[in-house]
Amino acid sequence: MNSPIYVTQPVLPEFDEFIPYLEQIWKNKILTNCGPLHQQLEQELCAYLGVDYISLFNNGTIALVTALQALGLTEGEVITTPYTFVATAHSIVWNNLTPVFVDIDPKTSNIDSINVEKAITDKTVAILPVHCYGIPCDVEKLQEIANLHNLKLIYDAAHAFGVIHQGKSLLKYGDLSIMSFHATKVFNTFEGGAIVCHSAEMKQRIDRLKNFGIVNESTIDDISLNGKLSEIHAALGLLQLKSIDHILQARQKIDRIYRSSFIDIEGIRCIERIDLVKDNYSYFPIVISEPYPLSRDELFEKLKLNNIFARKYFYPIMTDLAVYKKYQSDTPEAKRLSEQVLCLPLYPDLCMESVEKIINLIKDN
Ligand code: T4K
């Protein structure tokens, strides 16, 4: 039997390249608490991504929780999308805020700004959209709405590493953006994440919040978490950054092959990527509907029988999860998309033979 093909597989640097970093850590015995490798990675990421300030985190979820705290959001409603990974919604509830789920635009899979505007009440304090699959939200319109209603705008940019939109980093929009460097992401540090912000004052606030709220040895200003990224993880990030452009090129090649192969299949829609200066091809979602002869779940099972493990990112929508039932709202577009979507394997080491096998299984019905 062929070996299994998963939705993704992390890229790793050459093992030997990691050893000098380990030697450095073993020699100077600085393992964490924003040491030299952590600082170097923050600087190199700012330069690579074209942003002013980055604060590294141990994962994207804690970065999200901290981002809301950094903006002083302690009560009220946060408008967000039901079509996302649970971490987005969890971060709102962890801050004792109320998530208000509004419907998406099925063309992009992102929150629809018209629905955002309709959902604003006198309790609304922030908007938390997701650049789903790395596809930019309607950033101009969302900023306009946030400005008009005096709301904070935080982007969950967990999928948006390196995306350039209208000539600048997508991470520059909004008050804050959070990233994930999880093993399954375009850029990984095993586990990891970051907040991108736009001022030295905000960076200092976030740096304190991710370190228990410590100001100095005798002053603690906030009741916050430990969100620091260790030196080993930062070292890995420095190495990964060296090959990021090759990683993105390899992803683009597979994205193009899939896209051109499915163009003539009725009932298969590839979610279009906006014409970006730089894309990151972070997922390959297809949307399955009639007259394609199989339902999404049937295609999922067929691929699985052939040892191909596509994923239903993002099914179910948040409001269909028992833990979010009390935040129920009517989001038919998100529900429909979640029942039709399938993310196909996409990662740099996916060989052409496997890509062809996946395409043929989808074509032959
Ligand atoms: N916001 C959004 C919009 C997000 O999508 C996420 C995370 C976050 C926030 C939170 O960021 P983090 O706190 O995670 O930094 C995965 C990831 O765990 C999660 O990071 C990600 N989104 C989500 C979309 O997907 P699972 O449960 O689907 O992962 P898992 O373990 O099933 O992995 C998928 C496939 O990847 C496996 O079948 C095999 C492969 N894999 C996975 C891992 C972990 C490997 O080859 N090696 C590995 O080490 O959640």
Side-chain angles (χ1 to χ4, degrees), residues 166-185:
Q166 302 188 347
K168 66 174 184 178
S169 169
L170 185 57
L171 304 164
K172 284 200 137 184
Y173 292 88
D175 292 293
L176 300 173
S177 290
I178 79 92
M179 285 185 283
S180 166
F181 305 151
H182 183 259
T184 54
K185 297 294 186 288

Side-chain angles (χ1 to χ4, degrees), residues 288-340:
I288 299 130
S289 61
E290 284 180 357
Y292 189 74
L294 303 182
S295 68
R296 184 274 306 274
D297 290 345
E298 285 165 345
L299 180 58
F300 173 81
E301 291 302 330
K302 177 181 172 181
L303 293 172
K304 204 156 122 186
L305 280 175
N306 286 276
N307 234 2
I308 292 157
F309 297 88
R311 290 296 286 267
K312 301 173 193 176
Y313 295 138
F314 287 102
Y315 172 85
I317 55 169
M318 293 303 103
T319 41
D320 281 347
L321 293 169
V323 285
Y324 283 101
K325 271 259 158 28
K326 69 172 176 174
Y327 304 106
Q328 201 55 261
S329 64
D330 191 28
T331 57
E333 297 293 359
K335 191 165 174 73
R336 187 173 314 117
L337 188 62
S338 81
E339 286 164 358
Q340 295 180 333

Side-chain angles (χ1 to χ4, degrees), residues 35-56:
L37 296 170
H38 181 285
Q39 287 174 37
Q40 191 183 339
L41 182 59
E42 284 189 349
Q43 282 164 15
E44 292 197 15
L45 280 172
C46 279
Y48 179 80
L49 296 168
V51 298
D52 296 323
Y53 300 96
I54 283 185
S55 183
L56 292 172

Side-chain angles (χ1 to χ4, degrees), residues 263-277:
I263 218 156
D264 294 328
I265 309 183
E266 282 190 279
I268 299 276
R269 171 171 75 89
C270 302
I271 295 195
E272 253 180 70
R273 305 200 67 98
I274 297 168
D275 203 7
L276 301 164
V277 178

Side-chain angles (χ1 to χ4, degrees), residues 86-203:
V86 284
T88 317
H90 282 2
S91 72
I92 297 172
V93 178
W94 267 102
N95 276 294
N96 293 320
L97 297 158
T98 306
V100 174
F101 296 103
V102 303
D103 213 354
I104 59 162
D105 173 352
K107 276 204 239 65
T108 62
S109 73
N110 287 331
I111 202 163
D112 188 330
S113 49
I114 294 171
N115 297 329
V116 171
E117 201 149 26
K118 282 190 206 151
I120 293 172
T121 68
D122 54 4
K123 292 197 190 114
T124 310
V125 290
I127 312 169
L128 176 44
V130 179
H131 300 299
C132 199
Y133 311 128
I135 297 168
C137 292
D138 187 358
V139 283
E140 272 84 22
K141 185 69 193 158
L142 288 168
Q143 191 61 61
E144 214 179 287
I145 296 170
N147 292 347
L148 189 66
H149 298 272
N150 199 20
L151 305 175
K152 301 292 183 198
L153 179 56
I154 307 111
Y155 282 106
D156 181 337
H159 305 169
F161 185 92
V163 174
I164 304 220
H165 181 58
Q166 302 188 347
K168 66 174 184 178
S169 169
L170 185 57
L171 304 164
K172 284 200 137 184
Y173 292 88
D175 292 293
L176 300 173
S177 290
I178 79 92
M179 285 185 283
S180 166
F181 305 151
H182 183 259
T184 54
K185 297 294 186 288
V186 165
F187 171 84
N188 86 78
T189 56
F190 282 24
E191 288 269 5
I195 301 180
V196 173
C197 63
H198 315 304
S199 73
E201 295 71 39
M202 181 54 87
K203 157 93 169 127

Side-chain angles (χ1 to χ4, degrees), residues 18-32:
F18 199 41
I19 293 171
Y21 288 90
L22 294 178
E23 284 171 346
Q24 184 185 329
I25 294 168
W26 256 247
K27 189 163 154 250
N28 68 20
K29 301 207 165 26
I30 303 291
L31 313 186
T32 185

